[in-house]
């Protein structure tokens, strides 16, 4: 699926302003896609400042949220009834060439994936958020995994997250 040109006012956000939550309901979305992955309904949502993924018992939000504690967990595990959810995040500061290559790779990966949603924010073709979700067959029960990329061209930061949800 090709990247969507997102219609949003420019927000001067940065990687260190991102927050993480598993407790939020729907926030206003700029783009949304519902898919079925491994028999599980998944909603991919791009926000004005990042993403939400709703899958099974998980409502993952990574976004710039007023009045929330800033920062993403490096790793996190939760065990909602009958499930295991794992999250990890990495922030990298890259030089201009490497930054451009990594943004292009994230958009290409989203474009080639069966279940994805990506968007380009106004102001820079390298200001993107991309989400790719796929089924996992490695665990004892059905599962899925998703990766996200959030790029901040003004300072060369890319935030990458990886989430995995498995039935126990």
């Amino acid at each position: 699926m090709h990247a969507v040109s997102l219609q949003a006012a420019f927000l001067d956000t940065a990687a260190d302003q991102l927050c993480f939550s598993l407790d939020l309901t729907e926030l206003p979305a700029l783009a949304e896609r519902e898919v079925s992955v491994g028999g599980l309904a998944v909603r991919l949502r791009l926000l004005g400042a990042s993403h939400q993924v709703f899958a099974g018992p998980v409502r993952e939000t990574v976004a710039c949220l007023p009045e929330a504690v800033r920062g993403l967990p490096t790793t996190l595990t939760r065990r909602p009834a009958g499930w295991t959810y794992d999250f990890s995040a990495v922030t990298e500061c890259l030089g201009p060439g490497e930054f451009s290559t990594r943004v292009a790779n994230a958009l290409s990966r989203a474009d080639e994936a069966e279940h994805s949603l990506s968007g380009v924010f106004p102001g820079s073709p390298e200001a993107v958020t991309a989400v790719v979700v796929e089924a996992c067959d490695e665990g004892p029960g059905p599962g899925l995994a998703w990766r996200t990329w959030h790029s901040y061209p003004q300072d060369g930061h890319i935030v990458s997250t990886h989430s995995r949800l498995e039935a126990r």
Side-chain angles (χ1 to χ4, degrees):
M1 179 172 189
H2 293 291
V4 177
S5 292
L6 300 171
Q7 303 302 312
F10 176 74
L11 296 175
D12 190 15
T13 61
D16 64 358
Q17 294 175 341
L18 290 174
C19 307
F20 175 83
S21 176
L22 291 173
D23 300 322
L24 296 176
T25 58
E26 291 182 7
L27 297 175
L30 300 173
E32 183 173 2
R33 182 171 183 213
E34 293 188 33
V35 297
S36 178
V37 181
L40 192 63
V42 181
R43 293 176 58 207
L44 309 174
R45 309 181 81 244
L46 301 184
L47 310 177
S50 291
H51 83 267
Q52 287 184 306
V53 174
F54 296 166
V58 170
R59 295 187 321 246
E60 177 185 287
T61 302
V62 171
C64 298
L65 304 168
E67 302 176 18
V69 175
R70 288 185 180 179
L72 301 177
T74 304
T75 61
L76 175 98
T77 298
R78 293 285 185 267
R79 288 185 171 75
W83 297 87
T84 299
Y85 166 79
D86 294 301
F87 174 87
S88 63
V90 174
T91 301
E92 297 174 279
C93 185
L94 305 169
E98 179 68 12
F99 179 85
S100 294
T101 298
R102 295 280 297 280
V103 169
N105 288 344
L107 287 172
S108 176
R109 187 163 176 186
D111 188 42
E112 294 169 5
E114 181 180 0
H115 305 297
S116 67
L117 181 62
S118 59
V120 177
F121 288 89
S124 172
E126 292 186 329
V128 305
T129 296
V131 183
V132 174
V133 62
E134 57 196 7
C136 296
D137 298 326
E138 299 156 10
L144 52 95
W146 58 93
R147 292 190 179 276
T148 73
W149 298 269
H150 309 272
S151 65
Y152 300 90
Q154 70 274 21
D155 57 16
H157 284 123
I158 294 181
V159 177
S160 305
T161 73
H162 180 258
S163 302
R164 188 175 177 99
L165 180 65
E166 291 181 340
R168 286 189 275 139

